[in-house]
C-alpha cells in the first residue's frame, strides 16, 4: 500500500487549446491521488466523460479502503483478514458506523440498542400479504424497507444527529427481521418475532427456520459461518449500491428510502445478484467435465454468457473476501458433513479460468460472490435469498456511508452531466404535415 500523502505534485496543468489550466491534486491517506476537476467547466467549458465512473472519485470517505492490485480490504484501517478472524458482524457494524472499535461498555450498549429495535410494526407485517407467494424476496425487502419511513416519523429530521443515529440503528436492527419475514411469507410459514435472548445472527436464523411445532436447535457452525459472511459483505467503498444510497441520500431523502434504493441496486446480477447467478450457473454447468465448455462460452464475444462470480471493477488480483470464503467453504461443508457436487464444479471452474489467458490477461479472479452461494446452500438458505443475505451484511456499510455523508461539508446533491447525442434544435411540425 502506497502512503501517497507526501509524494506527488500539488497540482497538474492541462493544456486546453491556447489555455493552460492548473488543477489541484487531492491526496488520500492510502491509494491513488485525485485530480480535482471541479474548475474544469468554468476554465475550459468542458466536462469530463467517464461512463460507469471507472476513474472518478465521487466523494471522500474514511470508512473502507481497497487496494485492487494488492487484493487489500481495510474497514476503518483494519485488514479484513483480522476482522474475519477476531471480530463479529455487530462489532464490525459499530466500527464502520463510529470509526473505532468499541470497548466492552460501548459494545454492550450498542448491542442492547440494536436488540431492542429488531421488531417490525404490526401494521408493517400486513405489507407482506400484498405480495404473491412467489414474489422475489428482494422485491419484498426493498418495499418494506422503503415503507419504514412511514412508521418512524421520529427519525426523519436529518438535521438532528440523534435522529440520524437512531434511523441507522433501526435499519441495522430490522433488516434481518424483514428479510426473514419475506422468506417465511414465501414458504407460507408464520412470521416469527425476533428473540432478544439470542445474538444478532442466531436471532436471524431463529426467525428464518424456527417452526411453531418444535424448538429450533441452534448450530454454532452455521451461526459462525453466517456471522463471517456478514462481516465480509459489510462494506466495499463506493460500489454500485453504496453509491446509490449516497446519491439518494444527497437529495435529502430519508435514510429508509436511501437504503431501499441501495437494495434495488444490489439486486442486479452484475452486483449483489451475482451470488444467486453463480449457483444457477454452477447448476447449469452441472458436472466438472462440462467446465471447459462453460469457459469457452464466457470467452465468446457473441455469447452473453459470463462466468458469474468472476471479475471485479477494482480487484485485479484475488478478492481477499473470496480467499476467506473459499477456505471457509471447505471447513463449513466438512463440519456439516455435506458433500456438494457443485463445490467440485466451482473448484474445477476456478482452476480452468485461472489458467486461461483470456481471464489472466483481463485479471479476472473469483470475487466475493463466487463461493458464498455454496455456503449459503449448505446453511439451507434458499437461492432466492442469497442477495437478501448480501443486503443484511451490506446494511452496515450503507448506513455508515449515509451517516458519513450527512456530516460531509462537501456533500452536495449528485447530478452528473452527459454527452448529448440527440437532435439539434428544430421546430415542431403539425401532424398533418409530417
Ligand atoms: C460485486 O463494486 C464492488 O465493490 C462490488 C462488490 C461489493 O462488495 O459491493 O464487490 C460485489 O458486485 C462483485 C461482482 C459480482 N458480479 C459478478 O460476478 C458478475 C460477473 N462479473 C462481471 O459482470 C464484471 O466482471 C463486473 C461487472 C464485476 C466488472 O465489470 P467491469 O469492471 O465493468 O469490467 P468489464 O465489464 O469492462 O470487463 C472487462 C473485460 C471485458 O472483456 P473485453 O471487452 O476487455 O474483451 O473482462 C470481460 C469483459 O467482457 N469480463 C468477463 C467477466 N467479467 C469481465 N468475461 C467473462 N466473465 C466475466 N465474469
Amino acid at each position: 500500500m502506497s502512503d501517497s500523502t507526501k509524494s506527488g505534485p500539488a497540482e497538474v496543468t492541462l493544456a486546453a487549446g491556447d489555455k493552460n489550466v492548473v488543477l489541484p491534486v487531492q491526496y488520500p491517506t492510502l491509494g491513488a491521488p485525485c485530480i480535482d476537476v471541479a474548475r474544469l467547466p468554468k476554465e475550459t467549458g468542458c466536462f469530463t466523460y467517464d461512463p460507469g465512473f471507472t476513474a472518478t472519485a465521487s466523494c471522500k470517505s474514511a470508512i473502507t479502503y481497497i487496494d485492487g492490485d494488492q487484493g487489500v480490504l481495510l474497514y476503518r484501517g483494519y485488514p479484513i483478514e483480522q476482522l474475519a478472524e477476531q471480530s463479529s458482524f455487530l462489532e464490525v457494524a459499530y466500527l464502520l458506523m463510529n470509526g473505532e472499535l468499541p470497548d466492552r461498555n460501548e459494545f454492550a450498549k450498542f448491542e442492547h440498542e440494536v436488540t431492542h429495535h429488531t421488531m417490525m410494526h404490526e401494521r408493517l407485517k400486513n405489507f407482506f400479504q400484498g405480495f404473491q407467494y412467489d414474489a422475489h424476496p428482494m422485491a419484498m425487502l426493498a418495499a418494506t424497507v422503503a415503507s419504514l419511513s412511514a412508521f418512524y416519523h421520529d427519525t426523519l429530521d436529518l438535521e438532528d444527529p440523534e435522529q440520524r443515529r437512531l434511523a441507522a440503528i433501526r435499519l441495522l436492527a430490522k433488516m434481518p427481521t424483514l428479510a426473514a419475514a419475506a422468506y417465511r411469507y414465501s414458504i407460507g410459514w408464520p412470521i416469527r418475532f425476533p428473540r432478544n435472548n439470542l445474538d444478532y445472527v442466531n436471532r436471524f436464523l431463529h426467525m428464518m427456520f424456527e417452526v411453531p411445532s418444535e424448538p429450533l436447535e441452534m448450530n454454532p457452525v452455521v451461526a459462525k459461518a453466517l456471522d463471517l459472511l456478514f462481516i465480509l459483505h459489510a462494506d466495499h467503498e463506493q460500489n454500485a449500491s453504496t453509491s446509490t444510497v449516497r446519491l439518494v441520500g444527497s437529495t435529502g431523502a430519508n435514510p429508509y428510502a436511501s437504503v431501499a434504493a441501495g437494495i434495488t441496486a444490489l439486486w442486479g446480477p452484475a452486483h449483489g445478484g451475482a451470488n444467486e447467478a453463480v449457483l444457477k450457473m454452477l447448476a447449469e454447468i452441472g458436472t466438472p467435465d462440462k467446465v471447459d465448455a462453460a469457459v469457452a462460452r464466457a470467452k465468446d464475444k457473441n455469447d452473453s454468457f459470463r462466468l458469474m462470480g468472476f471479475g471485479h471493477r477494482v480487484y485485479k488480483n484475488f478478492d481477499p473476501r473470496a480467499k476467506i470464503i473459499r477456505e471457509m467453504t471447505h471447513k463449513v461443508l466438512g463440519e456439516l458433513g455435506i458433500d456438494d457436487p457443485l463445490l467440485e464444479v466451482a473448484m474445477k471452474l476456478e482452476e480452468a479460468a485461472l489458467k486461461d489467458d483470456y481471464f489472466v490477461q483481463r485479471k479476472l479472479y473469483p470475487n466475493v460472490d463466487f463461493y458464498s452461494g455454496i455456503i449459503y446452500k449448505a446453511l439451507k438458505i434458499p437461492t432466492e435469498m442469497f442477495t437478501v443475505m448480501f443486503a443484511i451484511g451490506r446494511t452496515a456499510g450503507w448506513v455508515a456511508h449515509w451517516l458519513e455523508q450527512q456530516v460531509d461539508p462537501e456533500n452536495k446533491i449528485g447530478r452528473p452531466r452527459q454527452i448529448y447525442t440527440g437532435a439539434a434544435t428544430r421546430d415542431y411540425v403539425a401532424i398533418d404535415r409530417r
Side-chain angles (χ1 to χ4, degrees):
M1 283 179 279
S2 66
D3 174 353
S4 61
T5 316
K6 303 175 190 63
S7 59
E11 55 197 26
V12 293
T13 303
L14 176 73
D18 55 357
K19 270 185 85 173
N20 280 343
V21 181
V22 178
L23 298 170
V25 177
Q26 302 229 18
Y27 284 86
T29 312
L30 295 174
C34 289
I35 298 170
D36 183 338
V37 295
R39 289 211 305 254
L40 209 54
K42 192 160 162 247
E43 303 265 344
T44 67
C46 296
F47 296 124
T48 58
Y49 177 58
D50 181 21
F53 312 115
T54 56
T56 298
S58 60
C59 63
K60 290 174 183 167
S61 177
I63 298 172
T64 293
Y65 172 70
I66 301 170
D67 182 327
D69 295 329
Q70 302 299 317
V72 167
L73 171 57
L74 307 177
Y75 287 169
R76 296 286 189 179
Y78 294 99
I80 191 67
E81 295 80 2
Q82 292 182 26
L83 293 170
E85 182 70 33
Q86 303 174 58
S87 187
S88 67
F89 172 67
L90 208 54
E91 183 179 73
V92 164
Y94 181 99
L95 171 66
L96 292 171
M97 290 167 67
N98 296 285
E100 298 296 336
L101 287 167
D103 64 25
R104 280 192 190 285
N105 292 335
E106 288 164 333
F107 183 71
K109 181 172 178 289
F110 181 70
E111 184 174 39
H112 182 272
E113 201 172 16
V114 169
T115 300
H116 290 82
H117 281 286
T118 50
M119 280 177 65
M120 75 173 95
H121 195 289
E122 275 303 290
R123 287 264 173 86
L124 181 54
K125 264 188 200 169
N126 302 333
F127 283 47
F128 291 95
Q129 306 304 324
F131 289 101
Q132 300 275 67
Y133 278 111
D134 60 357
H136 196 289
M138 283 294 277
M140 293 191 258
L141 189 66
T144 49
V145 168
S147 64
L148 288 173
S149 57
F151 290 85
Y152 298 108
H153 301 144
D154 62 342
T155 52
L156 301 182
D157 173 2
L158 305 191
E159 296 304 314
D160 179 349
E162 178 48 27
Q163 292 196 33
R164 297 198 300 263
R165 190 194 67 81
L166 181 53
I169 291 282
R170 279 195 169 123
L171 281 158
L172 188 68
K174 294 182 199 302
M175 199 62 74
T177 307
L178 296 172
Y183 169 62
R184 302 282 288 207
Y185 178 76
S186 71
I187 59 173
W189 284 8
I191 292 172
R192 307 311 288 165
F193 284 103
R195 293 268 301 276
N196 289 353
N197 63 318
L198 298 173
D199 65 28
Y200 192 88
V201 171
N202 278 299
R203 183 165 56 235
F204 169 68
L205 289 167
H206 184 266
M207 288 189 284
M208 280 283 286
F209 298 120
E210 187 269 350
V211 289
S213 42
E214 58 192 52
L216 178 70
E217 196 185 320
M218 308 311 286
N219 183 327
V221 172
V222 171
K224 176 67 187 150
L226 202 45
D227 190 78
L228 178 50
L229 285 164
F230 285 159
I231 290 174
L232 297 176
H233 286 83
D235 194 47
H236 216 236
E237 288 189 359
Q238 304 309 317
N239 59 85
S241 54
T242 301
S243 296
T244 301
V245 170
R246 279 180 172 263
L247 185 60
V248 174
S250 73
T251 70
N254 69 70
Y256 308 106
S258 302
V259 168
I263 293 172
T264 52
L266 186 73
W267 197 354
H271 189 15
N275 53 20
E276 184 178 344
V278 165
L279 219 73
K280 286 182 179 149
M281 173 188 73
L282 293 176
E284 189 187 313
I285 294 171
T287 51
D289 61 316
K290 304 245 181 31
V291 157
D292 291 342
V295 172
R297 280 190 62 198
K299 292 156 57 175
D300 179 355
K301 290 299 173 197
N302 300 318
D303 190 332
S304 62
F305 177 81
R306 281 197 161 185
L307 287 193
M308 301 314 279
F310 263 80
H312 198 276
R313 172 62 57 78
V314 177
Y315 288 121
K316 299 311 171 191
N317 193 323
F318 244 92
D319 180 334
R321 302 167 299 175
K323 273 187 190 170
I324 296 168
I325 292 179
R326 183 196 227 198
E327 284 159 32
M328 195 172 100
T329 304
H330 292 285
K331 185 168 175 289
V332 168
L333 267 63
E335 286 173 343
L336 295 177
I338 295 172
D339 176 17
D340 187 341
L342 291 185
L343 178 57
E344 200 187 342
V345 177
M347 287 164 58
K348 179 87 168 78
L349 189 57
E350 182 189 52
E351 182 197 347
L354 293 182
K355 282 191 304 201
D356 188 292
D357 259 357
Y358 174 95
F359 292 87
V360 174
Q361 279 164 14
R362 291 169 177 79
K363 299 185 177 182
L364 301 174
Y365 292 88
N367 59 48
V368 68
D369 293 306
F370 187 64
Y371 279 101
S372 54
I374 294 174
I375 296 189
Y376 286 139
K377 183 167 173 276
L379 304 184
K380 299 194 178 6
I381 306 279
T383 308
E384 280 206 332
M385 282 290 289
F386 287 5
T387 310
V388 170
M389 305 304 290
F390 196 147
I392 295 173
R394 188 52 54 89
T395 297
W398 288 333
V399 299
H401 281 272
W402 182 80
L403 288 170
E404 182 181 62
Q405 173 192 53
Q406 297 303 310
V407 295
D408 178 353
E410 295 184 354
N411 176 40
K412 57 179 73 169
I413 186 168
R415 204 271 184 224
R417 306 308 292 262
Q418 63 172 17
I419 293 180
Y420 176 65
T421 57
T425 308
R426 53 185 170 166
D427 294 326
Y428 183 81
V429 178
I431 191 164
D432 54 14
R433 291 178 44 219
R434 288 175 202 160

